[in-house]
Amino acid sequence: MADISQYKVGIVLSVENKGGGGKKPLKACSVNIGEEEPITVATSASNVREGSRIVIAPIGSTIINDSGEEQILKKTSVGGIPSEGMFCDAGMLGWGSGASGIAAQVPDTYEPGSSPPSTKPGAPPKNGSGGGSDVPAVEVKGLFEKKLTKEEKKKLAEEKRKARKAAKEAKKNAE
């Protein structure tokens, strides 16, 4: 596995579609990685948008290429666009889950230039370790709520009517 300590969190400042003859359109992205000047990254990742916080392997960092070998990232031209880094996907970061070729995004709590999390944000802890999480817990409601029975609906409607009537009386008495 590559050393991800060299990777950084970056904010996409602008995205310029460059077309491209391949299956996916090529984009030139200006990215703030916490340095004085933003860097340019060429990508075909479909989920890259302006304002996205994405993990980046900058020039000089080590990545694992398609052959499974470690490779030091160099400034290169992709489709005629000079690229000074590479957006990382979940596999490159060792997060386990996540699609290949989809840029790994992190929450807004990560500042540009900071190190990416060692585990996928929001993922349950591995091996039952109940340690603290990098991301605050969020209550997720189910997509489908339990349907009310006819009696429950009637009871709710009656309670609403009583509440409206009491509010109307209170307003009348206040006048």
Side-chain angles (χ1 to χ4, degrees), residues 29-44:
C29 304
S30 177
V31 184
N32 173 7
I33 59 169
E35 296 177 358
E36 286 183 28
E37 292 291 319
I39 65 170
T40 301
V41 178
T43 186
S44 62

Side-chain angles (χ1 to χ4, degrees), residues 20-76:
K23 294 177 186 174
K24 295 182 180 179
L26 199 58
K27 302 172 189 172
C29 304
S30 177
V31 184
N32 173 7
I33 59 169
E35 296 177 358
E36 286 183 28
E37 292 291 319
I39 65 170
T40 301
V41 178
T43 186
S44 62
S46 59
N47 65 329
V48 175
R49 302 210 182 2
E50 204 169 294
S52 298
R53 287 184 193 255
I54 297 179
V55 180
I56 296 168
I59 293 172
S61 55
T62 307
I63 62 166
I64 303 292
N65 64 18
D66 294 337
S67 308
E69 301 167 352
E70 286 191 359
Q71 180 179 347
I72 295 176
L73 205 59
K74 299 175 185 168
K75 185 173 182 174
T76 186

Side-chain angles (χ1 to χ4, degrees), residues 1-136:
M1 175 147 163
D3 178 18
I4 68 167
S5 65
Q6 302 165 326
Y7 298 174
K8 297 181 177 185
V9 172
I11 298 177
V12 178
L13 303 174
S14 66
V15 178
E16 188 179 337
N17 287 319
K18 293 290 189 176
K23 294 177 186 174
K24 295 182 180 179
L26 199 58
K27 302 172 189 172
C29 304
S30 177
V31 184
N32 173 7
I33 59 169
E35 296 177 358
E36 286 183 28
E37 292 291 319
I39 65 170
T40 301
V41 178
T43 186
S44 62
S46 59
N47 65 329
V48 175
R49 302 210 182 2
E50 204 169 294
S52 298
R53 287 184 193 255
I54 297 179
V55 180
I56 296 168
I59 293 172
S61 55
T62 307
I63 62 166
I64 303 292
N65 64 18
D66 294 337
S67 308
E69 301 167 352
E70 286 191 359
Q71 180 179 347
I72 295 176
L73 205 59
K74 299 175 185 168
K75 185 173 182 174
T76 186
S77 181
V78 179
I81 303 167
S83 188
E84 302 168 287
M86 180 177 181
F87 291 135
C88 301
D89 61 19
M92 288 175 67
L93 296 167
W95 288 354
S97 64
S100 177
I102 300 294
Q105 298 195 10
V106 295
D108 292 346
T109 54
Y110 290 90
E111 292 298 317
S114 64
S115 296
S118 57
T119 58
K120 186 173 184 177
K126 292 181 181 179
N127 301 332
S129 61
S133 174
D134 290 352
V135 180

